[in-house]
Amino acid sequence: MRPTSRLVAAFAAATALLTSVSAIQTVSRAGRYLYTADGTRFFIKGVAYQEQGAIANDPNNPFLEPSDFIDPLADGAACTRDLPFLQQLGINAIRVYSVDSTQNHDSCMSTFSNAGIYTIIDLSLPVNGSIDRDSPAWTTNLLDLYINTIDVFSKYDNVLAYNVGNEVVIAPNGTAAAAYIKAAARDTKAYLASKSSTALVGYAAIDGDDSWLTPLANYLSCDTTGDNSGNNAIDLFGLNNYEYCGAASASAYDGTNTAFQNYNIPAYFSEFGCITSPPRLWTEVQVLFATPMSNIWSGGLAFSYFPATSSQGQFGMTTISADNTTVTPNADFDALKTQYALVQFPTTPAQSSAGSTSYPTCPVADGVNFLASTTLPPTPNDAACSCLMDVLSCQFTPPATADVSLTVGPLLDEACGLLGQNGGSCDSIAGNGSTGSYGTVAFCDPSTKLSFVMSEFYEATNRNVQSCSFGGNATINVNAPSSVANANAAATSCLSNPSATFTPTAPSAGAGGSSGSSGGSSGSGSGSKANGAVSDRALVGAGLITLLSVAAGVFTVMA
Ligand SMILES: *[C@@H]1O[C@H](CO)[C@@H](O)[C@H](O)[C@H]1NC(C)=O
Ligand SMILES: *[C@@H]1O[C@H](CO)[C@@H](O)[C@H](O)[C@H]1NC(C)=O
Ligand SMILES: *[C@@H]1O[C@H](CO)[C@@H](O)[C@H](O)[C@H]1NC(C)=O
Ligand SMILES: *[C@@H]1O[C@H](CO)[C@@H](O)[C@H](O)[C@H]1NC(C)=O
Ligand SMILES: *[C@@H]1O[C@H](CO)[C@@H](O)[C@H](O)[C@H]1NC(C)=O
């Protein structure tokens, strides 16, 4: 063959390949259901897909949440190894709990896309990369983490949804954190829209009593403004549901179905698969994917492809050999394969009769079962926080060897305590999702908040050099402009509109503490100090950042 004809033959072969492998269809929402681009009702039929990270076994980690993670979409060989098994299960989706935006995901994402497998990607990371259920905040570092992940994954055609949180709220006394989840959903949605992404924004909830789970679900999908806009509503509600055990019957789901009967957005089981009667039969699959449940739910994800441990026991459908080359499926795998093979997706309602999604007004906090305010935290403002960091009189400068995520908490406690003894408070860095009051500096990253408090203490002690030391963790900022009298003046000049909501932009490379940020310093100040009612529990709240910071991690299961 002459070179040209070889080229032509290769081109013809490539074209044939392209036409035989049809691209995965976009999934979008109509009313409270999901549809593929050809108008067919879509159900999530999947598995959780993430090897479990190391677990810190201590009393502050009752759910055995991992402290690190292994990005399952960064190892092309592992995805290729697993694909035949995922195909045997007949799945169309996997859920991944944490990814590393610095890694390359091309191989795994195309392997799965070519096999018709969508991904649901949680944007949070263990420990300091999630909204902390005990000391919630929606801050620049979290927003930037989420944006960096979206930027890496937006080029793939098989991202069905991004989750902004997993099990952040686990009990009624923690429902105030929902205000922060809703703010995260609002800003993530705005960012995706600015990139013309059609990926959905979701949240995955721990199962719980209807008295607080129902208002939580309704709050996350409601419209705080009352004008039927979805701007601060999630698109997709996930319920981690383990209530169907052994050979139960369809009635096991009666209560859950009733609670979500009239829900306004698509909902699915973001985890399912009871473990109290192993090996699992997975007969709930036939209930979940058939009427009447299919009128309420859009499928679910069986937990978990990889072995995992929770406070309740062991999960998993496979074991992976020590050299990572071989997959051995277990009885759970075989049973799920059998049950998934029997599923035929209901086709109703048709997309044309699904209507448009409505966004009701929000549930009212009752002070007991549901606490979240409809006044949401503002959009974290990178430029304002880096402007602030630059002009503060005393800056947190951790030793190069320090693990910042571990030192910030104790130092905040110490600095807030000292500031309190000198007539100040940590109100400016605190927020309260139940009163809807958020300190002016509350959306900044932990290091900037700490610098702010250190500066207030340093200034409150007449700029005593000893006051800006903190055991070598702080340094006087010799470049602080003399025109900025103190930390509050710095906040006023850098944060002209601290309660603003806006479409965030991608962080500049190497963002954080660099100068020249405009920060919208119009100097108008807009009269917003600490918004009043931030509680004096701020000191306690700040302390919890380290004491209980294993927040909203992955693989949490609770009955
Ligand atoms: C909720 O109450 C439990 C104890 O009942 C406590 O351990 C937890 O810290 C509380 N959470 C919040 C956010 O107040
Ligand atoms: C197997 O993969 C895990 C991550 O998934 C990795 O930590 C481990 O080092 C690998 N083992 C070998 C022998 O390659
Ligand atoms: C979490 O802490 C680590 C170590 O200090 C840091 O590198 C990382 O940026 C932090 N992540 C977030 C989202 O703040
Ligand atoms: C910085 O703060 C940490 C946490 O409080 C403390 O353990 C450490 O000793 C401080 N660093 C130095 C150099 O003293
Ligand atoms: C938020 O404010 C309410 C009402 O004042 C108070 O009971 C609660 O303790 C505050 N929460 C935090 C985390 O400060």
Side-chain angles (χ1 to χ4, degrees):
M1 253 204 271
R2 286 174 297 132
T4 41
S5 56
R6 213 180 304 151
L7 205 64
V8 169
F11 180 75
T15 312
L17 194 70
L18 278 177
T19 47
S20 70
V21 178
S22 57
I24 196 166
Q25 294 187 56
T26 302
V27 172
S28 55
R29 185 189 55 180
R32 59 179 297 189
Y33 302 109
L34 301 172
Y35 295 88
T36 44
D38 63 4
T40 309
R41 176 110 192 256
F42 180 80
F43 290 83
I44 295 161
K45 182 183 163 199
V47 289
Y49 184 74
Q50 184 133 24
E51 283 188 79
Q52 196 164 31
I55 296 172
N57 202 348
D58 73 57
N60 289 326
N61 187 15
F63 302 130
L64 303 182
E65 289 169 342
S67 54
D68 65 9
F69 68 98
I70 299 158
D71 182 342
L73 298 177
D75 184 347
C79 292
T80 305
R81 173 198 68 202
D82 294 332
L83 179 64
F85 295 90
L86 298 172
Q87 288 178 314
Q88 282 183 51
L89 289 173
I91 62 158
N92 65 13
I94 54 174
R95 177 174 172 205
V96 167
Y97 292 79
S98 291
V99 293
D100 176 354
S101 64
T102 67
Q103 305 273 313
N104 186 306
H105 304 87
D106 292 352
S107 173
C108 284
M109 291 303 281
S110 71
T111 295
F112 292 142
S113 174
N114 292 338
I117 296 174
Y118 296 89
T119 54
I120 295 175
I121 294 175
D122 284 37
L123 294 170
S124 51
L125 300 182
V127 192
N128 63 335
S130 356
I131 296 171
D132 186 335
R133 68 171 68 98
D134 290 301
S135 185
W138 174 233
T139 49
T140 53
N141 55 314
L142 283 179
L143 174 62
D144 291 348
L145 170 72
Y146 286 18
I147 285 179
N148 285 336
T149 299
I150 288 168
D151 281 350
V152 164
F153 281 88
S154 61
K155 61 176 173 290
Y156 304 124
D157 60 7
N158 56 333
V159 179
L160 176 64
Y162 296 103
N163 284 334
V164 294
N166 179 57
E167 303 189 348
V168 176
V169 175
I170 59 169
N173 67 345
T175 48
Y180 297 90
I181 303 169
K182 208 165 165 61
R186 174 199 64 206
D187 296 339
T188 302
K189 264 182 111 160
Y191 185 69
L192 286 168
S194 77
K195 295 185 69 109
S196 304
S197 167
T198 57
L200 304 172
V201 172
Y203 172 75
I206 198 168
D207 203 2
D209 196 89
D210 292 345
S211 59
W212 63 270
L213 183 63
T214 303
L216 173 68
N218 290 337
Y219 175 88
L220 292 176
S221 66
C222 74
D223 172 26
T224 56
T225 65
D227 63 3
N228 197 24
S229 130
N231 291 347
N232 55 40
I234 57 169
D235 299 310
L236 182 64
F237 184 85
L239 182 64
N240 296 342
N241 180 295
Y242 289 85
E243 69 188 332
Y244 188 109
C245 284
S249 73
S251 62
Y253 289 129
D254 282 355
T256 302
N257 288 340
T258 303
F260 285 84
Q261 193 84 47
N262 299 313
Y263 201 43
N264 59 318
I265 59 165
Y268 73 113
F269 284 180
S270 37
E271 291 174 6
F272 71 90
C274 176
I275 47 145
T276 56
S277 332
R280 294 182 280 184
L281 307 175
W282 299 109
T283 45
E284 67 264 50
V285 162
Q286 304 318 322
V287 182
L288 178 58
F289 289 88
T291 53
M293 272 189 99
S294 58
N295 295 329
I296 303 173
W297 305 95
S298 293
L301 299 151
F303 192 86
S304 146
Y305 178 80
F306 292 107
T309 305
S310 85
S311 52
Q312 286 199 314
Q314 302 285 331
F315 297 80
M317 302 166 203
T318 61
T319 45
I320 309 293
S321 62
D323 67 358
N324 289 333
T325 60
T326 313
V327 179
T328 307
N330 63 21
D332 270 18
F333 180 97
D334 294 336
L336 183 65
K337 178 178 150 184
T338 302
Q339 294 299 327
Y340 266 173
L342 296 171
V343 170
Q344 283 204 310
F345 292 152
T347 54
T348 54
Q351 186 164 17
S352 52
S353 50
S356 56
T357 310
S358 63
Y359 299 95
T361 52
C362 296
V364 177
D366 63 8
V368 181
N369 290 315
F370 192 71
L371 307 176
S373 167
T374 52
T375 303
L376 304 184
T379 306
N381 185 333
D382 262 322
C385 296
S386 79
C387 163
L388 182 63
M389 188 66 152
D390 286 348
V391 300
L392 288 171
S393 60
C394 176
Q395 294 170 324
F396 172 48
T397 51
T401 52
D403 181 342
V404 172
S405 67
L406 296 180
T407 49
V408 167
L411 284 167
L412 261 178
D413 267 357
E414 184 185 349
C416 284
L418 290 167
L419 182 60
Q421 289 161 25
N422 284 271
S425 90
C426 270
D427 287 358
S428 300
I429 64 161
N432 188 319
S434 86
T435 57
S437 41
Y438 308 99
T440 29
V441 185
F443 63 52
C444 290
D445 62 285
S447 295
T448 302
K449 286 181 180 176
L450 176 56
S451 298
F452 185 84
V453 177
M454 286 171 160
S455 296
E456 287 193 301
F457 172 62
Y458 172 57
E459 291 153 12
T461 57
N462 297 318
R463 301 186 185 242
N464 180 334
V465 177
Q466 297 305 318
S467 300
C468 182
S469 163
F470 292 90
N473 286 299
T475 310
I476 293 166
N477 179 11
V478 294
N479 296 319
S482 53
S483 56
V484 179
N486 54 38
N488 274 317
T492 302
S493 85
C494 291
L495 290 97
S496 60
N497 188 3
S499 56
T501 296
F502 56 93
T503 301
T505 51
S508 53
S514 69
S515 60
S517 42
S518 63
S521 49
S522 71
S524 72
S526 64
S528 193
K529 285 269 196 297
N531 292 343
V534 180
S535 102
D536 53 16
R537 284 196 63 232
L539 305 186
V540 178
L544 286 170
I545 290 169
T546 46
L547 295 177
L548 289 164
S549 75
V550 189
V554 303
F555 302 135
T556 303
V557 179
M558 221 175 84

